[in-house]
């Protein structure tokens, strides 16, 4: 009885803490709403910032479930926008009827479509058993030790970067393979091994993508921003020379941190290579479903890799993949079965998060925050090194306001470039600072909702937000440490830093 009473007491205590956190979040939100509007910030922008403060606190603390926070976010955005002036700080209010499509704008975004399709693809493929076959083949290649398998996941992620030009598409390809590896170990997805593997699958696609110009959507966008501001053109090879070595070193840091933070249940797959050989033999010849899934995935990867030839957007290709996977006579599953396998909370949350980021930008909140952080703070008087590091720290906190890396960089990069150019300092490595911002935005992985690949991995059900923070916070320290090292060693040698 005492054990049951203790458990009940802990549950009651956790519920009380969560309720207190929600009340604190509401108080912070209302305080921002009731505060006088700062100069240059619209009333709608102020209220969207208030909603963001509440929601980000809920995400970090997990005081309410992610699915509930998504519904709350949409509702609060409707109120924030609907009861604000349609333009500026005066005039008639927009009205909730017109605010509804704005609050739901994230669900018509290609990024949301990509995440939804990626989760559907992973669910369909894992239903065929193909991921187990691929996983065992990887095990046969790299060996049976857990650390060798972690290294194999990293190598796979880097290899996919040169063939699949989409971060989310790579995550949709990598997560089912990792799920197969976890199942090969015969452990739950929320085991220490399972958590470590899924976290790496959620973090690596963004990390490897920033090292190749074509590896992530924000990269060419940032190049365009730089050239538009009169800065030197950064070509494919330039980008590779500047940032690819960083991603390699960072991945080594991720490997060592992951293999030490998580206490694996065993150091080697039980039975070793004999077990792997036996499991491959047990699988037998590929089933019809596996062959169909393989063909569909190879076709999808080829279409992703050749998007510059056929000009079909990557999210549209993902939808085609899902269609083929459920198409009678061609596919490998049914819509009803797929419906049961998909994590709808993740899909709902990401759509709502994109809506929040979109409204943050459209109401002028992002521009105002950038101006306050970079221009009015007096940062221009700092030395080059301190200025760069300060910008990198500011980006760390701003990154939590966006669920989309592309949206984040699109919102803040023009403000950063404009600020740096306005200083008229010839010794300022503008290109280097901007590429450093790209590294931070894409390598930072602390909570799942700020990254589409992490949300796809999170949807597999193996790790919690706290697990990701346990890895992500020290990983952020490693990220900044490597960046400082490169600022004084490698980047000056290749002309990116002065």
């Amino acid at each position: 009885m005492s054990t049951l009473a203790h458990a009940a007491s802990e549950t009651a205590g956790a519920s009380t803490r969560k309720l207190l956190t929600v009340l604190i979040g509401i108080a912070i939100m209302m305080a921002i709403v009731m505060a006088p509007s700062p100069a240059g910030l619209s009333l709608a922008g102020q209220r969207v910032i208030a909603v963001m403060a509440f929601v980000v606190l809920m995400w970090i603390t997990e005081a309410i479930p992610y699915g509930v926070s998504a519904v709350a976010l949409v509702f609060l955005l409707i109120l924030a926008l609907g009861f604000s002036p349609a333009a500026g700080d005066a005039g008639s209010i927009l009205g909730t009827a017109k605010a509804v499509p704005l609050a739901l704008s994230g669900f018509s975004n290609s990024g949301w479509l990509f995440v939804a399709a990626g989760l559907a693809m992973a669910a369909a493929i894992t239903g065929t058993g193909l991921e187990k076959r691929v996983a065992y083949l990887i095990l046969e290649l790299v060996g049976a030790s857990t650390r060798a398998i972690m290294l194999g996941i990293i190598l796979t992620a880097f290899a996919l970067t040169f063939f699949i030009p989409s971060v989310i598409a790579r995550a949709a390809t990598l997560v089912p393979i990792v799920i197969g590896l976890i199942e090969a170990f015969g452990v739950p997805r929320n085991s220490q091994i399972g958590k470590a593997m899924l976290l790496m699958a959620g973090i690596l696609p963004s990390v490897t993508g920033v090292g190749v110009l074509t590896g992530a959507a924000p990269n060419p966008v940032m190049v365009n921003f730089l050239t538009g501001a009169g800065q030197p053109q950064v070509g494919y090879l330039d980008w590779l020379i500047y940032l690819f070595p960083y991603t390699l070193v960072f991945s080594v840091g991720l490997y060592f941190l992951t293999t030490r933070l998580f206490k694996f249940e065993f150091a080697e797959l039980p039975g070793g290579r004999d077990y792997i050989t036996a499991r491959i033999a047990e699988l037998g010849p590929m089933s019809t479903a596996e062959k169909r899934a393989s063909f569909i995935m190879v076709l999808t990867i080829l279409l992703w890799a050749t998007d510059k030839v056929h000009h079909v957007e990557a999210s549209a290709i993902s939808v085609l993949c899902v269609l083929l996977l459920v198409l009678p006579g061609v596919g490998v599953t049914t819509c009803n079965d797929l419906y049961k396998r998909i994590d709808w909370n993740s899909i709902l949350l990401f759509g709502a998060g994109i809506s929040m980021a979109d409204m943050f930008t459209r109401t002028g909140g992002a521009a105002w925050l950038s101006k306050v952080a970079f221009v009015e703070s007096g940062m221009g008087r700092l030395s080059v090194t301190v200025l760069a590091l300060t910008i990198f720290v500011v980006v760390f906190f701003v990154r939590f306001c966006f669920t989309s890396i592309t949206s984040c960089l699109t919102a803040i990069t023009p403000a950063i470039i404009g600020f740096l150019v306005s200083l008229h300092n010839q010794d300022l490595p503008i290109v280097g600072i901007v590429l450093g911002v790209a590294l931070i935005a894409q390598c930072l992985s602390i909570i799942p909702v700020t990254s589409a690949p992490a949300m796809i991995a999170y949807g597999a059900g193996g790790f919690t937000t706290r697990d990701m923070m346990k890895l992500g916070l020290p990983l952020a320290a490693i990220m900044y440490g490597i960046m400082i090292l490169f600022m004084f060693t490698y980047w000056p040698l290749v002309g990116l830093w002065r």
Side-chain angles (χ1 to χ4, degrees), residues 404-464:
S404 166
I405 296 172
T406 302
S407 297
C408 176
L409 289 174
T410 301
I412 67 174
T413 303
I416 293 174
I417 294 176
F419 164 62
L420 294 175
V421 170
S422 69
L423 297 178
H424 303 292
N425 185 348
Q426 297 297 322
D427 296 326
L428 203 60
I430 295 178
V431 174
I433 293 175
V434 171
L435 295 190
V437 169
L439 284 173
I440 294 170
Q442 297 186 58
C443 292
L444 194 64
S445 302
I446 295 180
I447 57 176
V449 75
T450 58
S451 166
M455 284 301 297
I456 292 175
Y458 179 81
F463 61 88
T464 65

Side-chain angles (χ1 to χ4, degrees), residues 248-264:
L248 287 174
V249 177
F250 182 85
S251 298
V252 171
L254 172 62
Y255 168 81
F256 280 105
L257 188 61
T258 304
T259 54
R260 282 153 180 78
L261 279 181
F262 294 91
K263 306 300 181 183
F264 299 151

Side-chain angles (χ1 to χ4, degrees), residues 109-442:
N109 181 278
S110 62
W112 173 82
L113 185 61
F114 220 150
V115 170
L119 288 171
M121 290 160 60
I125 291 168
T126 53
T128 67
L130 175 63
E131 80 287 353
K132 293 181 181 178
R133 188 178 299 276
V134 174
Y136 285 132
L137 291 175
I138 291 175
L139 290 174
E140 190 175 39
L141 177 65
V142 301
S145 75
T146 52
R147 295 194 174 189
I149 292 168
M150 294 295 173
L151 182 60
I153 294 173
I154 293 175
L155 295 176
T156 302
F158 271 103
L160 290 174
T161 303
F162 291 93
F163 299 101
I164 303 177
S166 164
V167 171
I168 306 176
R170 289 197 298 278
T173 304
L174 190 61
V175 168
I177 295 174
V178 167
I179 292 172
L181 289 169
I182 295 169
E183 292 176 354
F185 274 88
V187 294
R189 295 183 188 179
N190 63 352
S191 64
Q192 291 293 295
I193 293 175
K195 288 178 181 180
M197 288 186 179
L198 282 169
L199 281 166
M200 292 188 77
I203 293 172
L204 281 168
S206 297
V207 172
T208 60
V210 74
V212 182
L213 181 58
T214 56
N219 299 348
V221 173
M222 299 193 76
V223 170
N224 288 335
F225 284 151
L226 285 167
T227 53
Q231 298 302 306
Q233 174 75 35
V234 179
Y236 182 93
L237 185 60
D238 297 322
W239 188 286
L240 200 68
I241 292 171
Y242 294 154
L243 299 189
F244 190 74
Y246 180 95
T247 61
L248 287 174
V249 177
F250 182 85
S251 298
V252 171
L254 172 62
Y255 168 81
F256 280 105
L257 188 61
T258 304
T259 54
R260 282 153 180 78
L261 279 181
F262 294 91
K263 306 300 181 183
F264 299 151
E265 286 77 2
F266 29 75
E268 186 171 315
L269 185 67
R273 288 191 176 273
D274 290 338
Y275 175 86
I276 299 170
T277 303
R279 295 290 76 77
I280 293 175
E282 187 179 275
L283 289 174
M286 290 184 69
S287 65
T288 301
E290 287 180 276
K291 290 178 181 178
R292 289 178 178 178
S294 298
F295 174 78
I296 293 170
M297 283 309 301
V298 169
L299 175 63
T300 303
I301 291 172
L302 287 174
L303 290 173
W304 279 335
T306 57
D307 65 331
K308 287 182 170 51
V309 177
H310 51 69
H311 303 293
V312 178
E313 212 269 331
S315 60
I317 296 171
S318 300
V319 174
L320 171 63
C321 177
V322 176
L323 173 61
L324 294 176
L325 288 169
V326 299
L327 193 65
V330 176
V332 298
T333 188
T334 64
C335 288
N336 286 337
D337 184 57
L338 199 60
Y339 175 82
K340 297 173 185 177
R341 291 174 171 270
I342 292 176
D343 179 14
W344 292 101
N345 281 334
S346 296
I347 293 175
L348 180 62
L349 177 62
F350 198 71
I354 292 176
S355 295
M356 182 183 75
D358 188 26
M359 291 306 101
F360 182 49
T361 301
R362 291 173 62 174
T363 58
W368 175 82
L369 190 60
S370 297
K371 181 180 178 183
V372 170
F374 299 127
V375 179
E376 296 179 357
S377 62
M379 287 170 53
R381 295 189 293 271
L382 301 174
S383 66
V384 171
T385 301
V386 176
L387 172 63
L389 292 175
T390 304
I391 290 175
F392 295 158
V393 171
V394 171
V395 173
F396 173 90
F397 292 102
V398 172
R399 181 68 186 86
F400 284 96
C401 301
F402 294 87
T403 56
S404 166
I405 296 172
T406 302
S407 297
C408 176
L409 289 174
T410 301
I412 67 174
T413 303
I416 293 174
I417 294 176
F419 164 62
L420 294 175
V421 170
S422 69
L423 297 178
H424 303 292
N425 185 348
Q426 297 297 322
D427 296 326
L428 203 60
I430 295 178
V431 174
I433 293 175
V434 171
L435 295 190
V437 169
L439 284 173
I440 294 170
Q442 297 186 58

Side-chain angles (χ1 to χ4, degrees), residues 44-65:
Q46 180 180 356
R47 291 175 177 176
V48 169
I49 290 175
V51 172
M52 289 176 62
F54 170 77
V55 172
V56 170
L57 179 62
M58 295 303 102
W59 287 343
I60 293 174
T61 61
E62 292 186 293
I64 56 178

